Amino acid sequence: MDAKTSRYHETYARWQRDPAGFWMEAAAGIDWIEKPKTAFDPNAGVYGRWFPDGVCNTCYNAIDRHVEAGRGTQAALIYDSPVTGTKETITYAALQTKTEILAGILHHNFGVRKGDRVILYMPMVPEAVVAMLACARIGAVHSVVFGGFAPKELATRIDDAKPKVILSASCGIEVARVIPYKPLLDEAIGLARHKPDACLILQRPQCTAELTPGRDHDWHKTWEHAVVWAHNVLEPVALQATDPLYILYTSGTTGIPKGVVRDNGGHMVALKWTMQNHYGVSPGEVWWAASDIGWVVGHSYIVYAPLFHGCTSILYEGKPVGTPDAGAFWRVISEYGCAAMFTAPTAFRAIKKEDPQGKFFAQHDLSKFRTLFLAGERADPDTIVWAENLLKKPVIDHWWQTETGWAIAGNPVGLGMLPVKHGSPTVAMPGYDLRIVDESCKELPRGTMGSIVVKLPLPPSCLPTLWQADDRMKESYLSEFPGHYKTADAGYVDEDGYVYVMGRTDDIINVAGHRLSTGGMEEVLAAHKDVAECAVLGIKDDLKGEVPCGFIVLKAGVNRPHEEIERECVQLVRDKIGPVAAFKLAITVARLPKTRSGKILRGTIKKIADGDPWTMPATIDDPAILDEIGGALKGKGVGG
Ligand code: COA
Ligand code: AMP
């Protein structure tokens, strides 16, 4: 397929001519309780709302309608957990029963009602997916918190979402390490001002959690009672398309995470559209997103989109390497006849590092596999080329954000693949009017680097607002470039309309495909009693793309060994943010390089650390400091 035979250009043009008509047509892919008459109301919400008069239920569209249409015996979920040695296939009919039971428990046992929030702090087990769907069934708003976050981060989310109930498990398993979750949950609830009414705890065989009397309930025991009481079974409730389905917290430019809100109707319409048109996958096929349900990729492409589309979705509790080896992905793809998969480039860098020759790959039959999709961070051309050579199948980079819930730019395999240009996630998807602008929002010519913005309105599924924070929504995304959504990514568009996403314009870094705020880490370091000043920035890493590196300036008079303070700083970030931050490098320096107006020269420090060419900034207050920084980095084995 080439640019001429792909239906991409005509599809994009059709959307441009008639966005409302385009999305109304896509809305026909969803079963509505009341079909929307209006596609978009520009006067509702912060920048308008999609399908304001539609009535629907997300869980019904993910499960019930497929059972009614005869897919009851088809696998909806395949749980494959090398870390526990477990494999389980859950049909659509079984998923329906499980979801009805848990919805009944939430409603009858814990009094959860439409609009109530439920936090999930769970590992990659089928119960977590059932919990998301059970919330959707009764109109409760779920908020999944990634297991690698520390109690303080969980506490912040508890205080913002104010959940009625928290669902958790006794532990997660990281390769061979059992990580007890209950002590983390207890600490988080202790730290939070808001207290949930109840916690439902899944006891896993690897570790038994002690339950707090009066608050904690055993998942299995509660389940057994609910099964006996058949009246617990609940039908999907009717929700406005604009009602919230979930809140997913993501790193913002300060330590306080942003509660990205996803609605019901627009989310379903956009995600259903992507499965065929973007990913080129048909109902009944096996699909795998190797991510975690704690991230947006997990929400959209482990749980919701594949189920809306009637696919079989793989839920994998393991890593690309080490569980047990670098052949794990090939084993899963071949064992289940997977048609397409989606993961972060980091995962492929990890496989490439351990098995550069692809010896494991050669041991598996991947005849049913068609396409590899990568996203979550910039896909470096080396990794793409390596994967292409090995797979002899298309490797497709695509670009999106927690805020959008689906690709802003991609290569629409279902519409006919466009030629791949390494380093580019290809072209804007229908729904996104992308512009490259300067600080005054003036559009820049093709090929010129600038801020990437989307002309409002955003398409369905994108965040209508931040949880109970319309003002923060406006201030974070809509005020800097009036009439546009600020992606906070910088890049350019080439003469063929291909987008190149080169990096963030804020303090967000991407570590192993995980989005983290360096500002948040600086807040933690600044709270250390001996630290006078600090700067955290992302430096290049062969495996994780980027890792954080913290520079600390000690208070006058502190004469403890620097290594001891640096170790404490590393531990502090792990304790306050979590292991997922991968903060392992703190470096003591005498002073930080600044401009004469006091701004830390992060860009220059980064270049030195990355071994990239750099020039002395004209505004620096004392050029000698950069040599000191270079020396300190070399002392830790960093820098060119
Ligand atoms: N619960 C508790 N701890 C967790 C966790 C969880 N759910 N997920 C990660 N962690 C811990 C890890 O054990 C590790 O701890 P350590 O510092 O004690 O070793 C730390 O957080 C960092 O985890 P991670 O970034 O995953 O690094 P890793 O070295 O364990 O694995 C990769 C490296 C490349 C194999 C891994 O990052 C990976 O598979 N990435 C795929 C990317 C991905 O899924 N992205 C999601 C968006 S698409
Ligand atoms: P998250 O919200 O965790 O999905 O992270 C979103 C951010 O990850 C984006 O704003 C980008 O900075 C980065 N990102 C995601 N996908 C890509 C990609 N394909 N190319 C470049 N950057 C990406």
Side-chain angles (χ1 to χ4, degrees):
M1 185 71 72
D2 60 23
K4 289 199 186 74
T5 45
S6 169
R7 286 184 292 119
Y8 163 73
H9 292 288
E10 71 186 58
T11 309
Y12 192 83
R14 182 155 56 85
W15 163 73
Q16 275 182 312
R17 274 195 310 276
D18 178 15
F22 180 92
W23 288 117
M24 277 305 234
E25 202 178 291
I30 292 306
D31 281 351
W32 299 87
I33 297 167
E34 281 173 38
K35 281 201 174 121
K37 293 183 194 68
T38 310
F40 185 72
D41 176 1
N43 299 315
V46 176
Y47 63 85
R49 297 301 306 261
W50 288 97
F51 310 114
D53 52 5
V55 179
C56 56
N57 184 281
T58 289
C59 180
Y60 177 82
N61 275 278
I63 309 176
D64 302 59
R65 70 161 173 167
H66 300 307
V67 176
E68 288 164 19
R71 283 191 193 280
T73 55
Q74 183 196 310
L77 277 184
I78 294 173
Y79 170 55
D80 186 297
S81 169
V83 296
T84 59
T86 317
K87 291 176 188 175
E88 187 186 351
T89 297
I90 301 171
T91 63
Y92 271 96
L95 188 60
Q96 184 180 36
T97 306
K98 286 174 189 288
T99 306
E100 281 170 351
I101 292 170
L102 190 57
I105 291 173
L106 290 175
H107 179 94
H108 295 294
N109 296 45
F110 301 124
V112 177
R113 296 288 179 271
K114 179 179 150 181
D116 286 340
R117 273 81 56 216
V118 175
I119 279 189
L120 275 60
Y121 187 60
M122 296 191 72
M124 287 281 286
V125 290
E127 286 83 354
V129 177
V130 171
M132 291 165 79
L133 293 163
C135 289
R137 194 169 191 85
I138 59 174
V141 181
H142 63 69
S143 187
V144 185
V145 179
F146 179 63
F149 280 119
K152 186 171 168 291
E153 290 287 324
L154 177 56
T156 309
R157 287 152 175 82
I158 293 173
D159 277 334
D160 198 63
K162 301 191 174 48
K164 193 167 177 67
V165 178
I166 298 182
L167 307 185
S168 189
S170 56
C171 63
I173 297 146
E174 279 293 294
V175 190
R177 263 184 311 148
V178 172
I179 313 227
Y181 275 17
K182 243 313 269 321
L184 306 175
L185 175 65
D186 288 343
E187 192 183 332
I189 295 174
L191 287 170
R193 286 183 306 279
H194 172 85
K195 309 290 175 196
D197 294 352
C199 297
L200 185 63
I201 309 294
L202 180 76
Q203 298 280 19
R204 303 188 77 189
Q206 294 74 17
C207 155
T208 305
E210 212 171 292
L211 301 186
T212 307
R215 187 197 73 194
D216 295 349
H217 301 259
D218 181 286
W219 191 297
H220 293 300
K221 286 190 190 137
T222 312
W223 190 274
E224 280 159 24
H225 286 124
V227 173
V228 175
W229 297 342
H231 72 263
N232 272 0
V233 170
L234 278 191
E235 292 302 316
V237 305
L239 297 167
Q240 286 304 129
T242 49
D243 282 339
L245 169 69
Y246 70 75
I247 308 165
L248 180 56
Y249 288 90
T250 189
S251 301
T253 38
T254 67
I256 312 285
K258 291 170 174 165
V260 168
V261 173
R262 193 82 61 216
D263 67 12
N264 278 277
H267 176 241
M268 281 195 279
V269 171
L271 260 55
K272 171 79 174 82
W273 184 89
T274 62
M275 285 306 286
Q276 197 81 55
N277 295 290
H278 188 195
Y279 297 105
V281 171
S282 299
E285 289 197 300
V286 181
W287 159 265
W288 181 22
S291 177
D292 188 288
I293 48 144
W295 307 113
V296 68
V297 175
H299 280 63
S300 292
Y301 290 105
I302 295 174
V303 183
Y304 288 115
L307 297 183
F308 293 152
H309 202 47
C311 290
T312 298
S313 181
I314 298 174
L315 180 75
Y316 175 73
E317 189 183 25
K319 300 253 176 182
V321 293
T323 59
D325 53 40
F329 275 20
W330 317 131
R331 195 263 305 160
V332 172
I333 292 173
S334 82
E335 190 166 331
Y336 304 113
C338 182
M341 92 168 284
F342 177 168
T343 191
T346 271
F348 270 79
R349 284 197 294 270
I351 298 170
K352 177 173 124 199
K353 196 169 160 212
E354 294 227 342
D355 183 21
Q357 308 304 326
K359 291 201 183 81
F360 284 108
F361 176 79
Q363 297 164 11
H364 298 279
D365 169 18
L366 268 72
S367 52
K368 288 196 177 152
F369 188 67
R370 294 195 298 269
T371 329
L372 169 65
F373 293 91
L374 299 175
E377 58 180 315
R378 185 171 152 74
D380 53 293
D382 279 358
T383 304
I384 295 198
V385 170
W386 179 81
E388 281 173 340
N389 288 339
L390 196 67
L391 286 163
K392 311 265 182 304
K393 304 273 160 73
V395 178
I396 307 289
D397 179 19
H398 59 318
W399 165 56
W400 51 301
Q401 307 183 312
T402 304
E403 287 84 347
T404 63
W406 64 291
I408 309 170
N411 196 332
V413 171
L415 293 174
M417 212 178 108
L418 297 169
V420 169
K421 291 195 193 184
H422 295 146
S424 166
T426 319
V427 288
M429 286 292 99
Y432 295 95
D433 183 352
L434 282 191
R435 311 278 171 100
I436 308 293
V437 298
D438 67 10
E439 310 84 69
S440 60
C441 203
K442 198 164 128 283
E443 222 176 318
L444 294 166
R446 291 260 162 125
T448 310
M449 199 58 175
S451 292
I452 316 181
V453 299
V454 183
K455 190 167 182 299
L456 292 174
L458 289 165
S461 162
C462 292
L463 79 172
T465 190
L466 294 172
W467 179 247
Q468 296 190 332
D470 285 356
D471 286 346
R472 192 172 180 206
M473 166 77 188
K474 289 180 202 156
E475 187 193 308
S476 306
Y477 302 105
L478 308 178
S479 61
E480 194 170 330
F481 303 103
H484 298 78
Y485 164 82
K486 169 184 153 183
T487 65
D489 276 310
Y492 61 94
V493 173
D494 74 7
E495 63 289 354
D496 297 322
Y498 279 54
V499 183
Y500 291 77
V501 182
M502 305 311 289
R504 297 280 304 195
T505 58
D506 56 11
D507 74 337
I508 300 292
I509 57 168
N510 218 303
V511 181
H514 306 142
R515 173 167 158 178
L516 295 157
S517 155
T518 54
M521 294 185 221
E522 286 177 4
E523 281 174 26
V524 172
L525 295 183
H528 186 288
K529 64 177 179 16
D530 294 337
V531 171
E533 208 183 358
C534 64
V536 176
L537 41 105
I539 61 172
K540 262 190 218 158
D541 183 78
D542 285 347
L543 176 65
K544 298 192 175 188
E546 259 180 322
V547 287
C549 169
F551 293 87
I552 51 174
V553 177
L554 302 181
K555 286 180 183 160
V558 173
N559 50 20
R560 290 198 296 136
H562 291 177
E563 293 72 26
E564 192 178 309
I565 299 170
E566 288 163 2
R567 267 198 307 277
E568 287 166 9
C569 285
V570 167
Q571 191 59 42
L572 205 57
V573 175
R574 194 176 172 93
D575 291 346
K576 300 287 178 201
I577 296 178
V580 67
F583 183 83
K584 309 232 158 145
L585 189 59
I587 306 177
T588 311
V589 289
R591 47 200 183 142
L592 290 167
K594 292 183 186 166
T595 62
R596 276 174 230 118
S597 59
K599 226 173 142 216
I600 297 172
L601 289 160
R602 288 161 207 278
T604 314
I605 306 179
K606 182 172 163 52
K607 284 191 180 128
I608 296 172
D610 289 347
D612 289 342
W614 57 278
T615 48
M616 185 65 69
T619 53
I620 192 165
D621 64 347
D622 182 353
I625 307 180
L626 289 176
D627 290 336
E628 294 168 20
I629 293 284
L633 280 162
K634 279 219 178 70
K636 299 278 181 186
V638 182

